[in-house]
Structure formats: structure tokens, C-alpha cells
Amino acid sequence: MNIAEVERRTGLTRANIRFYEKEGLLSPVRGANGYRDYTEDDVETLRKVRLLRQLRLSVPEIRAVQAGEHALPETAARQLGVLEQDIHEGQQAYAACRAICEDGAQWDGLDVDKYLSISVLPAYLSQTPEEQDRIPPAGCPWRRYFARSLDLSLYGLIWSMVGQWGLRINPVLYHAWVWTLACTYAGAVLMLAFEPVLLHFWGTTIGKWVFGLSVRDEDGHKLPIRTAFARAWGVFCIGMGWGIPLYNLYRMWRSYRTCTEEELSWDMDNACTVVVRERQTKWYRAAGYIVLMVLAGFADVGIGLRAALPPNRGELTLAEYVENCNDYQVYRGARAYIQPDGSWAWVPMDSGRGFRWEYAFDYEPEISVETDAQGFVSAVHATLRDDGNDGMMMGGNFGETREMIVYAFAASRTRSGILELLNSPLMQELEGITESFTADFHDMQVVQTVAYSGCVPGESGWTLIPTEGEQAVYRMEFTICKK
């Protein structure tokens, strides 16, 4: 049977049961799943222990009786003297209470010395056996919390690399709470994968190592993989509340309260404990935690910047350029793709990748790619048109097309970082659709020629408003080429 059933049948708490196990009064076997499997003999042993503890026998005395070193009748006879003293002290306490009642004593003016002379506090009232027989508090809750937060931050970096670099998931495309929830569960999965290995071979994790903490079994050894996994699973389910928003905050608060009173359940259930190197946190450990968290934050930003770069860089063949364009479209959730010849195409509505954006105007850019004698892309030309039939011409898609070309071609050839590209004068020029310009970016030249009639620019710089009674026409020629 499991420990919950034993608690119900014996009236003891889990902390009491684990205490008596550590004292050697019972030794339950472990099942194939790594959890303790208690027998009827174990239950009967605990019931006997509880009875003898209520008779004020000490744990060493009970252990001696259980081992046959002392006979129970003789031990009980010696205990009679202790109980007689308890009875005498109880009678004194009774006399003192009766005197207070007869005197009509009040809080104000209570003669403490008078009533202390009548009674002393009976020893058996100071603490019950169930209160005494408990595993000591786990302690250092804040060190454990910050150690866990550092570990989860590092697991989060692994998830960011896998998600953004490998799976091409762009956090910007999702609501903040969706991405946060995804990171929580991805971090939990990585915690369950890495933490058992670290605890088995190293005895600690990076976060615990920073704060001078390690995890050991009852014999002071490193944990087996199975036990370490069961412990990590308990942390996620009980300590982190399954990652469910708000509920996880409640579970962390409850774990904090428990940590100040007794061992946490995931340690207690798996017969392990957190070993603390120092009573007080050293200043350099707190400083190390802050430094590592700051570095983790910078690393997360760097992962995002690296994910924004195209997969192929340097001199590009047509196939590599097309791959860069389509990577841009996928990473930014666009509904179009570039065909092998470099031309534009909408993603079919039944492709499973998403639906084409529906606009009141027809938007179908004409894109052509030029290559040099060696087969490398030397220039990309795009023509963007709008006839203004919807009553307002918007340039959002125009900007997306131009940025795709810059991303796939210019950012690749120059091997520049994404920050350099975003802060360049070129990107500032690309913020509008109503002005012509010529700009240089490293060894490339960008030329934009805009012509329109029957409309006027809107206040945003991204719209053109048709003039009443006139046919609105817009045309943009956008070219980027090697100098």
C-alpha cells in the first residue's frame, strides 16, 4: 500500500512515518516504480510505535524493545515512575487552576509568583509525540527557490534555441501568455530530462551549485536516475502546480510554508534531502546568481537576434536565395512563398500552413531575380502595384515584400548582424511607401522609385487616399543589386 493509505490507517502524518523510517523502526520495500510499498506488518509496527510513544517511551527505548534488547514489561515498569511524575505535575497544575478560579484572578494584577509556587508545567503537556517525531524542516526556502529559477532560466535558453532555431517558432507571432505558457511546459520537459541526469552524476544542478546546495539519499549517496526523476516530477506537480497559471503561485506559497516546517513531499517521498553547505548565504553566491541571470537574459536576446538571420549567408545561388525568402515567410507567419524561379505565389488555402490574407485590393508583386556568370544572385527586382479600388491603398504588404528581399539578399551577402541591419539608414528609408530613394548598404545599392496619381499620402506614411472623382494608380519599382 502507499503512504497515503498508511497515514489513514495509523493516524500518523507522512512526516511522522518518514521520521520512524529514518530511525530504523521500519523498512518498507520499494516497488518497481521506485515508490515505497508498505505492508500490513509495517502498519502494525507503526501502530505499536504510536502507542508506546503515547506512553512516553523514547524512540531509542522503543527501538531496543523492537530489537529484543529490552523486554517490554521491564521497560513499561521503568516508565511508571515517569508517568507518576507526570501525574504529580498534573495535580499541581490542577491545583493552580483551581486557586485562580477561587481567587477570581484577573489578567491585570495576576500574581504570577504565587501560582508558580503551586504548580509547574507538566512535562507531558509540552509537546506530543507526533509533534516531536518529525523530520526537521527543509530550511533555506529562498535559496531553493532562486536555485530553481536559475535552472529553469537555463532550460529556457535550450528551449529558445530549439524552438526558434530548429522549429522556427517566432515568439512575436503569439500572445505573451501563450508563449509564456509554452516556455513553462517546455522548461518543465527539459527539467525532467536533464535534472535526473545532473543529480545522478553530479549530485546537484547549476542553480543548486551556485547556492551551495546538493541532493543526497538517506545514506549520503547521489540519487539513482529513477529516484531523481520521481523527485523532479514531484517538484513539477506539487511545487509548480503543473504550471497552471495562478494555481502555480498558490502551490509555490504552500511549498514555502511547508519548507519552514518540515521536509517537502518530493524529498520525503523519495527518501532524499537537500544538503546545505552554509547556514547563511554567502555574498558571492548571491552575486553569482545575479550575474548568471543577467547573462541568461542577454543570451535569450542573442538567440532571438540569431533566429532572425537567414539560414544561408555569403554569395547565394538562386536556390539559397529562395530558401532565405521562404524562411523569412515562415518565421514571420506570412501567407505567401517564393517559387524556385524567384517569383511570388500565395500559399494555397488548403495547405495547412494558414489562409491567405484577404484584401479588398489585388496584391500580387512581380519579382524577378538576376544571376551572374557564376550562378550567384546579383540583383532582385520587384514591382508593386495597386489600383485603389478599395477606396484606400495600404502599404503594409509592400513593406513586407521589400523587407523579405533585404533579409534574404542584403543581410546574407554582407554577413552583417540583424542589429546593424535594423539600425541602418536603409531600414529608415523603408518605413514609407510614398517617397523614392537610393541607399547603400555595404557593397549593395537599393533603389526605390514610386509613382502615383489620383491619390494623396495619408498621415501615417503607409497609406494613400484616393482623390474623389479620380482613378487612383500606384506603382513602386524596388531594386537591390551588387554595386
Side-chain angles (χ1 to χ4, degrees):
M1 69 188 75
N2 59 32
I3 195 169
E5 177 67 13
V6 176
E7 287 180 285
R8 186 186 66 81
R9 293 184 57 181
T10 63
L12 296 170
T13 67
R14 187 168 305 198
N16 297 146
I17 296 169
R18 286 284 294 113
F19 176 81
Y20 294 136
E21 288 180 34
K22 283 196 170 185
E23 291 295 326
L25 296 176
L26 71 157
S27 300
V29 298
R30 287 187 177 271
N33 58 3
Y35 291 101
R36 292 175 179 78
D37 185 12
Y38 295 89
T39 64
E40 291 292 339
D41 288 342
D42 293 326
V43 172
E44 193 60 27
T45 295
L46 288 170
R47 295 181 70 237
K48 294 175 182 177
V49 169
R50 184 181 186 188
L51 169 63
L52 297 180
R53 286 295 287 136
Q54 289 177 337
L55 298 180
R56 316 306 295 172
L57 288 176
S58 67
V59 172
E61 288 174 326
I62 296 174
R63 189 188 302 113
V65 170
Q66 184 187 45
E69 298 173 1
H70 296 158
L72 181 56
E74 286 78 3
T75 302
R78 288 193 299 271
Q79 188 67 6
L80 288 175
V82 176
L83 297 177
E84 287 173 355
Q85 179 63 28
D86 290 343
I87 293 173
H88 175 68
E89 292 174 353
Q91 291 172 340
Q92 289 180 314
Y94 178 85
C97 286
R98 184 168 182 174
I100 290 174
C101 294
E102 293 175 348
D103 295 345
Q106 301 297 324
W107 176 264
D108 294 332
L110 180 65
D111 190 346
V112 176
D113 292 333
K114 173 182 177 181
Y115 299 111
L116 280 179
S117 66
I118 300 175
S119 173
V120 295
L121 181 65
Y124 65 86
L125 293 178
S126 62
Q127 200 174 38
T128 66
E130 286 81 0
E131 293 173 328
Q132 297 176 24
D133 300 347
R134 302 175 68 89
I135 297 174
C140 61
W142 287 111
R143 271 183 275 183
R144 295 175 67 151
Y145 171 78
F146 287 122
R148 176 70 57 187
S149 69
L150 177 55
D151 287 334
L152 290 175
S153 296
L154 298 179
Y155 299 142
L157 292 180
I158 299 175
W159 157 244
S160 292
M161 288 187 286
V162 173
Q164 297 185 62
W165 295 357
L167 303 178
R168 302 304 286 153
I169 299 174
N170 188 351
V172 177
L173 300 180
Y174 300 89
H175 292 292
W177 69 269
V178 174
W179 180 248
T180 300
L181 201 60
C183 291
T184 297
Y185 285 104
V189 170
L190 292 170
M191 178 184 76
L192 294 172
F194 284 96
E195 186 162 306
V197 176
L198 291 173
L199 293 182
H200 176 68
F201 290 103
W202 195 21
T204 187
T205 63
I206 294 177
K208 290 180 176 60
W209 174 77
V210 168
F211 283 97
L213 308 176
S214 59
V215 183
R216 294 291 187 271
D217 64 13
E218 293 175 318
D219 299 322
H221 301 143
K222 297 172 187 174
L223 303 185
I225 290 285
R226 184 191 296 272
T227 303
F229 178 83
R231 182 184 185 277
W233 180 252
V235 170
F236 175 66
C237 299
I238 302 174
M240 299 172 61
W242 300 89
I244 301 173
L246 299 182
Y247 178 64
N248 62 343
L249 298 178
Y250 167 75
R251 287 308 316 166
M252 285 191 286
W253 174 76
R254 289 291 302 168
S255 297
Y256 168 78
R257 294 290 301 273
T258 302
C259 193
T260 61
E261 299 172 357
E262 63 184 30
E263 277 282 5
L264 293 163
S265 59
W266 49 85
D267 289 326
M268 195 179 302
D269 292 344
N270 295 286
C272 55
T273 185
V274 173
V275 179
V276 184
R277 185 169 299 175
E278 304 108 358
R279 289 178 58 86
Q280 299 294 330
T281 304
K282 301 294 185 181
W283 69 268
Y284 56 82
R285 296 194 184 279
Y289 168 80
I290 294 173
V291 169
L292 288 176
M293 288 296 288
V294 171
L295 291 177
F298 279 115
D300 192 49
V301 173
I303 290 171
L305 294 176
R306 174 61 183 84
L309 290 173
N312 302 303
R313 310 192 71 185
E315 294 285 1
L316 302 176
T317 64
L318 177 58
E320 291 172 334
Y321 164 78
V322 170
E323 182 182 359
N324 283 356
C325 289
N326 288 328
D327 180 82
Y328 173 94
Q329 301 282 24
V330 169
Y331 190 65
R332 286 157 180 79
R335 302 306 197 264
Y337 69 100
I338 302 301
Q339 301 184 90
D341 63 355
S343 60
W344 177 277
W346 289 109
V347 175
M349 296 182 67
D350 60 352
S351 67
R353 179 178 149 189
F355 296 97
R356 169 181 172 172
W357 292 110
E358 297 295 336
Y359 297 102
F361 56 87
D362 293 328
Y363 173 69
E364 195 78 25
E366 299 174 5
I367 302 177
S368 60
V369 181
E370 298 179 9
T371 57
D372 57 22
Q374 288 76 35
F376 296 119
V377 175
S378 58
V380 180
H381 180 75
T383 301
L384 310 169
R385 298 187 181 88
D386 188 2
D387 60 9
N389 289 333
D390 63 326
M392 179 181 292
M393 293 180 287
M394 301 189 66
N397 282 325
F398 302 161
E400 180 180 287
T401 302
R402 292 177 300 164
E403 287 178 9
M404 177 197 70
I405 296 172
V406 171
Y407 164 92
F409 187 31
S412 302
R413 274 192 43 77
T414 60
R415 292 191 174 274
S416 59
I418 195 68
L419 286 178
E420 180 184 357
L421 175 62
L422 293 177
N423 294 322
S424 66
L426 170 60
M427 297 306 291
Q428 297 176 11
E429 295 283 4
L430 293 177
E431 291 180 356
I433 64 167
T434 61
E435 301 292 336
S436 300
F437 71 86
T438 299
D440 293 331
F441 184 67
H442 287 269
D443 63 343
M444 312 202 73
Q445 186 177 64
V446 180
V447 179
Q448 175 174 293
T449 304
V450 177
Y452 55 88
S453 62
C455 54
V456 294
E459 294 182 1
S460 66
W462 280 92
T463 59
L464 289 165
I465 303 174
T467 303
E468 186 176 355
E470 297 185 29
Q471 175 63 43
V473 177
Y474 176 88
R475 179 184 177 92
M476 174 191 289
E477 300 288 342
F478 184 81
T479 301
I480 180 169
C481 60
K482 299 178 186 179
K483 289 183 182 178

